[in-house]
Amino acid sequence: MASGANSLMWFRKGLRLHDNPALEYAAKGSKFLYPVFVIDPHYMDPDPTAFSLGSSKAGLNRIQFLLESLADLDLSLKKVGSRLLVLKGDPGELLIRCLKEWSIGKLCFEYDTEPYYQALDEKVKGYVSGTGVEIFSPVSHTLYNPADIIHKNGGSPPLSYQSFLKLAGQPSWAATPLSTTISSLPRIGNTGSFAVSEVPTVRELGYEDLPEDEKTPFKGGESEALKRLRESIANKEWVANFEKPKGNPSAFLKPATTVLSPYLKFGCLSSRYFYQCIQDILKCSKKHTSPPVSLLGQLLWRDFFYTAAFGTPNFDQMKGNRICKQIPWKNDDKLLAAWRDSKTGFPWIDAIMVQLRKWGWIHHLARHSVACFLTRGDLFVHWERGRHVFERLLIDSDWAINNGNWLWLSCSSFFYQYNRIYSPISFGKKYDPAGNYIRHFLPVLKDMPKEYIYEPWTAPISVQRKAKCIIGVDYPKPVVSHDSASKECKMRLGEAYALNKKLNGLVSEEDLNELR
Ligand code: FAD
């Protein structure tokens, strides 16, 4: 590209100014720089009934988080002499028009491994090819380039964390100096015929505003991400001793983990910056935990799932997914609805689902509890249907990580110890015997004595009356008996595993893929 030509910075994830190699490159030697974000209808479904109809498109809390992130990005761009140009429509078509109308010589965007973006980027690259427009698309969302790891592993992704670590070694990119923090940007040129808008409101996108107590307490944006990062790592001892399974999933006033996931998801926080901040602390700590349980180990889980997802066709479904066990899950709408709408009658499960709906974020072990309960633990409902619900409600909903963890929790891939089930009664009790978490998210049970808070159906009727909560009237009876349901789930999984093994032995991998 000739120096002095125009550049277009296409923001998708990577909604930040710090450590943003694509933005840094876009700014270099350009006459005009157009920072663009396209609001993509593909990800949205504002219809309020969409949730109960099973839509996995972004729910209101995530859209709100995204818009806050865009508003923050716009403000930061304005401070360095630019602004965010928001467009709405099909990103591929809009981008191609922008390139033409604005005489763009350099198109910069962060590389994205999600199938949707892979297809979109192919379309844009196809258009650009032969036009002389330079494309710069660096890997900067993850610590590693998933393609490098897959290449090192002979063309397929490693399927265990330990083999991933062995292949990955020291992250080469993550250890390199951060991109220069942007202090000024080239001006924006004429935007011509484009309907460029300010960052819209949720209402302008067709979403109904939520009541205050249904809104996530987490605010989107790079400024908030950096503040949260500073606060999270201020206690160096906490960082050094971080040990994932030991955290308390019922801690909601001060969550036991960083809650940086939504900021990493949208790229408001650079994973490389996060990685280096942790490394700096560990270097000065006499003793510290290690992967997989350490904080650094958590970031590496993220890369592990990104690599597995990138290298596995049909990663987000059972059919045609070579690493996914074929299991005859139920498609029981009633059980799914009870789980989704916090009406299973198990307070620990229902409270978590309320937190998920209202906050868009729940602790990792809370995710374990409800995902296990829906699938292999109690209800035997297909993991893809639970994944859909998470996809809509989580503010950190991430294609690779969400699917990877649902595959894991349902014992469909990665983890196969289906006899180890989370009890919907005793697991939560271990952390929160008084049931404060349940009382907070399910106020209908707030006066239930602590002996019954995890199993209110066992409370004598006089106790239920006193607590102003009659089971079966004010709060549901359990949808299943945990003891018999979990036994049946184990039996069905045992049968399914045996059949998978038999099929694997009898037919070639190719034929098996046909069957799947
Ligand atoms: P911390 O413990 O502070 O960890 C720091 C960062 O490491 C996280 O922000 C996240 O980016 C990464 N990380 C932590 N745990 C995992 C993990 N198991 N897998 C991959 N990356 C991890 N995480 C998402 O970001 N998006 C999802 O859509 C998502 N869906 C999930 C679905 C299920 C069924 C389960 C069991 C887990 C899911 N997770 C998902 C993983 C994990 O629960 C969250 O990343 C974590 O709880 C976020 O909280 P945190 O930022 O406080 O994590």
Side-chain angles (χ1 to χ4, degrees):
M1 186 203 75
S3 171
N6 301 337
S7 306
L8 193 154
M9 170 64 202
W10 181 15
F11 284 101
R12 300 106 68 93
K13 292 167 187 148
L15 303 178
R16 60 175 187 267
L17 256 57
H18 76 278
D19 192 31
N20 191 333
L23 180 62
E24 187 187 13
Y25 192 74
K28 253 187 215 147
S30 301
K31 183 171 178 212
F32 295 122
L33 166 65
Y34 294 82
V36 167
F37 184 89
V38 182
I39 305 255
D40 183 354
H42 170 79
Y43 282 106
M44 309 205 178
D45 192 349
D47 181 352
T49 60
F51 180 44
S52 51
L53 293 176
S55 169
S56 62
K57 308 236 165 160
L60 181 69
N61 270 328
R62 187 155 81 258
I63 294 296
Q64 178 69 44
F65 193 93
L66 166 67
L67 296 182
E68 285 164 359
S69 303
L70 294 179
D72 186 61
L73 179 63
D74 182 42
L75 207 65
S76 303
L77 287 169
K78 282 175 178 153
K79 286 184 192 153
V80 293
S82 186
R83 63 170 275 223
L84 189 64
L85 305 172
V86 180
L87 305 173
K88 190 169 172 238
D90 178 89
E93 282 165 24
L94 282 169
L95 246 283
I96 291 168
R97 268 185 57 209
C98 290
L99 295 178
K100 269 194 234 163
E101 280 203 31
W102 298 341
S103 308
I104 297 298
K106 191 161 71 171
L107 171 63
C108 304
F109 55 91
E110 183 175 62
Y111 186 73
D112 197 310
T113 49
E114 270 184 44
Y116 177 73
Y117 280 103
Q118 289 278 308
L120 183 58
D121 295 354
E122 275 312 301
K123 182 176 167 183
V124 173
K125 281 180 192 158
Y127 167 78
V128 164
S129 133
T131 61
V133 175
E134 179 193 354
I135 290 191
F136 181 68
S137 181
V139 174
S140 51
H141 188 62
T142 44
L143 297 175
Y144 298 88
N145 182 348
D148 288 347
I149 308 261
I150 292 169
H151 178 70
K152 274 194 197 169
N153 199 39
S156 61
L159 296 178
S160 80
Y161 185 81
Q162 289 308 334
S163 54
F164 168 81
L165 284 190
K166 263 192 212 138
L167 285 162
Q170 282 301 309
S172 46
W173 182 78
T176 55
L178 304 178
S179 292
T180 320
T181 299
I182 308 289
S183 53
S184 80
L185 283 178
R187 282 179 303 133
I188 294 171
N190 191 343
T191 52
S193 67
F194 278 96
V196 173
S197 75
E198 294 288 325
V199 176
T201 62
V202 284
R203 278 187 166 272
E204 282 164 345
L205 295 182
Y207 283 82
E208 302 252 329
D209 234 344
L210 282 174
E212 273 315 305
D213 72 335
E214 301 258 316
K215 283 187 185 162
T216 178
F218 306 111
K219 190 167 179 274
E222 179 184 17
S223 313
E224 200 58 33
L226 295 174
K227 186 168 151 240
R228 199 164 184 95
L229 173 68
R230 275 194 303 276
E231 287 167 3
S232 299
I233 60 174
N235 183 343
K236 298 188 170 45
E237 215 182 307
W238 181 81
V239 173
N241 295 322
F242 186 99
E243 207 173 338
K244 190 59 160 285
K246 292 201 173 151
N248 179 354
S250 68
F252 61 96
L253 294 174
K254 188 175 180 331
T257 53
T258 63
V259 195
L260 285 169
S261 49
Y263 303 94
L264 288 163
K265 181 246 148 64
F266 284 108
C268 302
L269 176 64
S270 148
S271 57
R272 175 165 67 165
Y273 181 48
F274 187 13
Y275 175 89
Q276 294 190 1
C277 289
I278 304 174
Q279 281 288 31
D280 287 347
I281 293 175
L282 300 188
K283 268 184 226 148
C284 307
S285 312
K286 281 198 190 115
K287 226 177 94 202
H288 60 77
T289 51
S290 304
V293 296
S294 61
L295 191 52
L296 210 60
Q298 304 313 302
L299 265 183
L300 294 167
W301 276 114
R302 181 172 177 268
D303 268 62
F304 167 73
F305 283 120
Y306 265 83
T307 308
F310 186 55
T312 308
N314 302 312
F315 188 69
D316 58 355
Q317 58 187 50
M318 183 167 85
K319 195 162 183 276
N321 179 348
R322 68 181 171 80
I323 67 165
C324 178
K325 297 253 185 238
Q326 304 299 298
I327 296 167
W329 300 108
K330 284 196 261 183
N331 266 319
D332 189 315
D333 291 337
K334 271 198 183 150
L335 288 178
L336 176 76
W339 176 82
R340 183 193 62 213
D341 300 337
S342 308
K343 290 188 176 139
T344 66
F346 289 93
W348 171 244
I349 300 297
D350 292 341
I352 294 172
M353 294 305 285
V354 172
Q355 189 191 11
L356 171 62
R357 186 165 46 77
K358 292 190 170 183
W359 286 31
W361 182 91
I362 47 179
H363 184 275
H364 185 58
L365 292 176
R367 298 180 201 218
H368 272 232
S369 296
V370 293
C372 177
F373 183 84
L374 179 73
T375 57
R376 66 186 173 85
D378 289 82
L379 305 187
F380 213 71
V381 170
H382 204 310
W383 63 269
E384 289 174 22
R385 302 194 75 188
R387 184 275 320 279
H388 268 124
V389 172
F390 267 38
E391 200 169 306
R392 183 165 175 89
L393 295 182
L394 281 171
I395 53 172
D396 64 24
S397 168
D398 177 295
W399 186 82
I401 308 180
N402 198 25
N403 281 299
N405 276 285
W406 274 97
L407 283 164
W408 182 297
L409 259 296
S410 62
C411 276
S412 296
S413 198
F414 306 115
F415 174 80
Y416 303 108
Q417 294 178 35
Y418 58 80
N419 281 316
R420 285 174 57 187
I421 285 179
Y422 290 91
S423 160
I425 299 156
S426 57
F427 185 68
K429 206 187 270 184
K430 202 166 65 180
Y431 296 96
D432 179 20
N436 292 329
Y437 175 80
I438 294 172
R439 291 175 211 284
H440 180 84
F441 287 105
L442 285 177
V444 66
L445 288 167
K446 74 178 180 357
D447 296 322
M448 193 56 76
K450 85 179 218 250
E451 305 86 288
Y452 303 110
I453 188 86
Y454 284 87
E455 298 169 273
W457 63 92
T458 62
I461 190 71
S462 56
V463 174
Q464 295 183 25
R465 272 202 202 102
K466 198 162 167 225
K468 291 189 232 44
C469 181
I470 307 295
I471 301 308
V473 177
D474 304 304
Y475 180 70
K477 291 182 181 160
V479 282
V480 289
S481 143
H482 172 61
D483 283 347
S484 53
S486 57
K487 266 190 206 123
E488 184 161 343
C489 282
K490 285 182 202 168
M491 191 195 73
R492 284 178 189 227
L493 269 166
E495 286 169 3
Y497 269 40
L499 195 63
N500 276 261
K501 203 168 164 193
K502 206 161 149 196
L503 281 177
N504 271 323
L506 285 178
V507 286
S508 69
E509 192 55 30
E510 229 165 61
D511 290 340
L512 197 60
N513 276 331
E514 286 292 305
L515 289 171
R516 280 170 177 149

